[in-house]
């Protein structure tokens, strides 16, 4: 039987990483690709981070009962972390849409105003607390922590109010 690339990783890290990628690279990439919905750039980033983690923790990996499973779990965790970060980076407040360069023309600004007015008119049908939370979150761009502090509410209560408000707004907008 051939050499275990995870054991080689300890004494010859570069060779170990090459052997790991040769033996398990396609499985690793396929696993990540399934998690990140075929985003090739994100797959490359996750593979790179996974290999970095393997390198840094190579002694721990070598004594692991199942180093392959450990590597796959690390890759999954890194992929999920990067997806969350990417999603977080994509969130912007409704107010910030005005400063997007292409929205500088009058038609786009008018469209923004019409949409904002439609959403805010539907928000009138929410309970007073749902309305406050919704507007602070979606119009003013506050995150949950800021909402907790501002409204002196517990984290779960904020999530519940926001979730309910969003569901009602979606339903109201579909009905109009």
């Amino acid at each position: 039987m051939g050499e275990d690339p995870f054991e080689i990783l300890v004494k010859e890290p570069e060779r170990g990483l090459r052997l790991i990628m040769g033996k398990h690279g396609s499985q690793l990439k396929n696993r990540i690709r399934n998690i990140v919905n075929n985003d090739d750039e994100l797959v490359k980033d996750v593979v790179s981070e996974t290999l970095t983690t393997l390198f840094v923790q190579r002694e721990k990996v070598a004594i692991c009962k199942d180093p392959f499973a450990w590597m796959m779990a690390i890759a999954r965790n890194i992929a999920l972390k990067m997806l969350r970060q990417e999603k977080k980076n994509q969130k912007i407040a409704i107010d910030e849409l005005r400063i997007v360069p292409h929205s500088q023309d009058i038609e786009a600004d008018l469209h923004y105003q019409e949409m904002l007015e439609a959403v805010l008119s539907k928000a009138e049908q929410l309970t007073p607390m749902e309305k406050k939370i919704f507007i602070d979150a979606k119009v003013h761009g506050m995150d949950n922590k800021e909402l907790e502090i501002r409204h002196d509410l517990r984290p779960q209560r904020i999530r519940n109010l926001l979730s309910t408000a969003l569901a009602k707004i979606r339903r109201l907008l579909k009905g109009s």
Side-chain angles (χ1 to χ4, degrees):
M1 207 163 179
E3 299 174 289
D4 181 11
F6 292 102
E7 289 176 9
I8 293 171
L9 186 62
V10 176
K11 291 185 176 145
E12 299 177 65
E14 289 180 25
R15 183 171 166 243
L17 289 174
R18 278 194 311 274
L19 289 172
I20 289 169
M21 284 307 291
K23 185 174 182 180
H24 303 294
S26 61
Q27 290 173 287
L28 178 64
K29 289 176 185 175
N30 287 336
R31 169 86 165 137
I32 296 167
R33 192 170 278 114
N34 288 335
I35 295 169
V36 300
N37 298 321
N38 294 320
D39 182 338
D40 289 333
E41 288 303 311
L42 201 49
V43 169
K44 290 176 188 174
D45 291 343
V46 174
V47 167
S48 176
E49 283 290 319
T50 302
L51 293 177
T52 301
T53 303
L54 280 173
F55 174 78
V56 170
Q57 298 186 14
R58 62 189 176 272
E59 290 181 11
K60 179 180 176 182
V61 176
I63 59 171
C64 222
K65 184 178 180 181
D66 187 353
F68 174 76
W70 186 88
M71 176 183 71
M72 296 303 264
I74 292 297
R76 181 194 71 231
N77 293 341
I78 291 170
L80 293 173
K81 179 182 172 188
M82 286 185 169
L83 281 174
R84 280 191 299 273
Q85 188 61 42
E86 196 173 83
K87 187 174 182 182
K88 190 176 183 179
N89 291 343
Q90 289 175 349
K91 284 185 178 179
I92 58 172
I94 293 174
D95 277 351
E96 293 175 26
L97 291 176
R98 276 194 224 177
I99 59 174
V100 175
H102 72 275
S103 70
Q104 294 302 319
D105 76 26
I106 296 169
E107 188 175 327
D109 198 38
L110 181 61
H111 181 68
Y112 163 81
Q113 288 298 331
E114 289 171 355
M115 288 184 59
L116 181 59
E117 286 174 24
V119 169
L120 291 177
S121 73
K122 298 299 181 185
E124 294 298 321
Q125 297 178 47
L126 301 173
T127 67
M129 188 53 80
E130 289 171 345
K131 180 180 171 187
K132 287 178 193 174
I133 298 296
F134 174 78
I135 289 174
D136 282 345
K138 299 304 174 186
V139 177
H140 300 127
M142 295 175 77
D143 64 23
N144 285 10
K145 195 70 175 162
E146 292 170 319
L147 293 170
E148 292 168 31
I149 294 166
R150 182 171 195 172
H151 297 284
D152 193 31
L153 294 172
R154 294 178 184 254
Q156 188 60 48
R157 181 72 176 133
I158 293 292
R159 288 191 294 271
N160 290 347
L161 285 167
L162 191 53
S163 175
T164 303
L166 287 169
K168 285 181 180 179
I169 292 291
R170 279 189 210 101
R171 196 169 44 250
L172 290 166
L173 287 171
K174 284 181 182 176
S176 58

